[in-house]
DNA sequence: GAGTGTGAAGGCCTTCACAGCT
DNA sequence: AGCTGTGAAGGCCTTCACACTC
C-alpha cells in the first residue's frame, strides 16, 4: 500500500472516489484524467500525479480502469474494522452531524455522543448513545476510540480536547473556532465555519465590485 | 484599505480577529506576534507578515495595539450595509446552520431559505423566511442577494448553483461533495465534510500506527 | 493522434535571519 | 534585551512539457 503524506492529496483522493463511484454507477469502466479533472475542478496533470502517487497506472489509449482506481483509493482509506469516533457537544451542529453522518459509512462509526448538560446526555440520538461528558475517558478507553468530533462552544473546546487526548484519541475533528493545543501525536482537522462564512462574504464582495471575469 | 488577495491570509485574519476580541475582552490593549501565533497555531513570523499585509504596524517595545488591529481587520471584512445571503436546502445541515449562524453577525444576514419540498418551504425558521425553490431567482434579484449557501443533496447542487449564478450571486458556500461549475465571476468556497471525515480518519490511523511523536 | 508518466520549472506561501528600533 | 519589519531562502504543491505508449 502506498503511504500518502500530503493532506491535499488525501482530500483529492476522497473527492476522486466519489466522482469515480458516480461514473461507475453510470456504467463507465474506464476514465481519462481530464474526466476526473473537470468535475474535481483541477488540472489533468494534477490528477495524473495523484494517481501516480496512489500507485495505479493507466494506458494512453483507454485511460485508467475505474475499478482499479477505486480499489487503490479504498486501500488507502479503508481499515479492517471500521474506525470508531465519538462526538462531544450535542448542540444544533452536533445533532445535525449525527443525523447526517451517523451510520453513513462502513469505515467510520460514531459510537457515542457526550454533553455536559444532563438533559442532553442520555438516551439514543440517530442510533448513537448519549452520555455525560465525565464518562468520556472511560468510553474512549473501553471502546478504543480513535477519533473525536468536537462541537462544543468555544470556551469548552480545549478542555474537551485535553480529555480526549489523555484518553488516547489520535485524531480530532474540530468544529470550534479555537485552535487546539494538542500533543503532536494527535492529528487535528479544523473545520472553521465562521472563517468560511467570512471568506465567502469577503470574496463575494470583491468579485461583485471588480466584476471579475478572468 | 488594503486589498488582500490570498485566501489563506483572509482565513487567518478571521481567526486573528476572534483571538483579538478575546484578548480585548480580557482587558488587554497590546499584543505581541507570538501571543497571536500560539493560539492560532502558526509562527510569529507569519503573524507579522499578515499584519504587514494588513497595513498595520507595531513597536518593538510594546507590540501591536489590539484596537488598531481590530479596526484594520474589520475594515477588510465589513461592509457599509450587511451582506445578504440565502440558504438552499432546508435539511438537517441547513437547519443547523440557520440556527447556528442566523442573526449571529452584523455583516452577514441570512435573508431567506429555500427548499423544493413544499412541506419545508413555508413559514419562518430561526428568523428566516422559507420559500419554494422556484422563487429563488425572484428573491435574489429583488433583495440583491450576493451570497448563496448550498446544503441540498449532491444531485441537486449544480442546478441550484446555476440558478443562483444566473440570478446574480457572486459567492457560494458549497456544503455538498460536488465541485460546482460556475462562471469565473463567482467565488466558491467548498466545505467538504465527507473529505474532512475521511481525512481525519486516515491521519488518525496513521498517527496511531506510527506513534508519531515529532 | 490522443493520453499517460514524470523530470524540471514555476509559483505561492511560510520561515529564516537579521537590521533596526525602543 | 527583546520585538518588529522585511529581503532572502526554503519548501511544498501545481503545472509545464515532452518522451513514451497504444
Amino acid at each position: 500500500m502506498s503511504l500518502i503524506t500530503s493532506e491535499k492529496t488525501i482530500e483529492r483522493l476522497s473527492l476522486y472516489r466519489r466522482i469515480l463511484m458516480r461514473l461507475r454507477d453510470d456504467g463507465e469502466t474506464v476514465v481519462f484524467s481530464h474526466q476526473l479533472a473537470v468535475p474535481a475542478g483541477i488540472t489533468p496533470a494534477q490528477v495524473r500525479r495523484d494517481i501516480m502517487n496512489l500507485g495505479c497506472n493507466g494506458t494512453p489509449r483507454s485511460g485508467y480502469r475505474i475499478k482499479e482506481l477505486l480499489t487503490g483509493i479504498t486501500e488507502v482509506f479503508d481499515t479492517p474494522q471500521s474506525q470508531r469516533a465519538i462526538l462531544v457537544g450535542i448542540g444544533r451542529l452536533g445533532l445535525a452531524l449525527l443525523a447526517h453522518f451517523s451510520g453513513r459509512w462502513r469505515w467510520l462509526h460514531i459510537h457515542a455522543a457526550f454533553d455536559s448538560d444532563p438533559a442532553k446526555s442520555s438516551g439514543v440520538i440517530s442510533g448513537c448513545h448519549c452520555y455525560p461528558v465525565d464518562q468520556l475517558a472511560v468510553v474512549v478507553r473501553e471502546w478504543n476510540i480513535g477519533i473525536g468530533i468536537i462541537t462544543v462552544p468555544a470556551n469548552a473546546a480545549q478542555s474537551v480536547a485535553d480529555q480526549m487526548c489523555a484518553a488516547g484519541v489520535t485524531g480530532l475533528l474540530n468544529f470550534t473556532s479555537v485552535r487546539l493545543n494538542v500533543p503532536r501525536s494527535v492529528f487535528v482537522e479544523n473545520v472553521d465555519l465562521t472563517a468560511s462564512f467570512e471568506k465567502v462574504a469577503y470574496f463575494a464582495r470583491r468579485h461583485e465590485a471588480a466584476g471579475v471575469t478572468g
Side-chain angles (χ1 to χ4, degrees), chain A:
Chain A
M1 186 195 113
S2 32
L3 274 195
I4 287 144
T5 49
S6 155
E7 294 194 26
K8 302 226 171 177
T9 302
I10 288 295
E11 287 171 21
R12 284 192 300 268
L13 288 179
S14 163
L15 178 56
Y16 296 157
R17 173 151 70 163
R18 281 168 277 153
I19 296 168
L20 287 166
M21 288 191 296
R22 203 162 59 227
L23 288 169
R24 182 197 56 191
D25 294 346
D26 287 348
E28 303 290 333
T29 59
V30 292
V31 65
F32 295 118
S33 60
H34 63 262
Q35 289 176 285
L36 280 171
V38 170
I42 55 181
T43 63
Q46 180 74 76
V47 171
R48 291 202 301 275
R49 189 158 299 269
D50 287 335
I51 291 174
M52 193 180 84
N53 291 154
L54 188 64
C56 293
N57 45 40
T59 56
R61 179 65 100 177
S62 52
Y64 304 94
R65 289 188 307 165
I66 289 176
K67 197 174 165 187
E68 185 182 331
L69 293 181
L70 281 171
T71 302
I73 298 175
T74 297
E75 262 173 32
V76 170
F77 285 117
D78 264 27
T79 43
Q81 309 130 29
S82 74
Q83 288 175 271
R84 296 196 194 89
I86 57 168
L87 180 144
V88 186
I90 313 175
R92 288 181 287 245
L93 186 59
L95 283 171
L97 292 176
L98 280 177
H100 224 229
F101 293 114
S102 189
R104 181 137 168 180
W105 301 298
R106 201 190 62 67
W107 50 266
L108 181 72
H109 175 62
I110 303 180
H111 182 269
F114 297 83
D115 203 288
S116 58
D117 180 351
K120 295 177 186 165
S121 53
S122 67
V124 177
I125 293 174
S126 299
C128 192
H129 282 270
C130 300
Y131 302 96
V133 78
D134 56 27
Q135 307 223 5
L136 193 155
V138 174
V139 173
V140 168
R141 290 208 177 87
E142 181 173 350
W143 291 89
N144 194 27
I145 306 287
I147 298 166
I149 303 162
I150 304 181
T151 52
V152 298
N155 57 15
Q158 184 62 54
S159 152
V160 165
D162 290 343
Q163 291 174 62
M164 291 214 252
C165 292
V169 156
T170 57
L172 291 175
L173 191 49
N174 174 29
F175 283 90
T176 75
S177 61
V178 171
R179 291 305 178 270
L180 303 169
N181 179 15
V182 299
R184 269 180 297 191
S185 60
V186 176
F187 177 83
V188 180
E189 167 78 356
N190 293 304
V191 179
D192 188 338
L193 295 176
T194 297
S196 293
F197 274 93
E198 293 198 335
K199 190 174 160 187
V200 74
Y202 176 76
F203 285 106
R205 193 150 47 83
R206 292 283 306 274
H207 282 225
E208 180 185 10
V212 175
T213 53

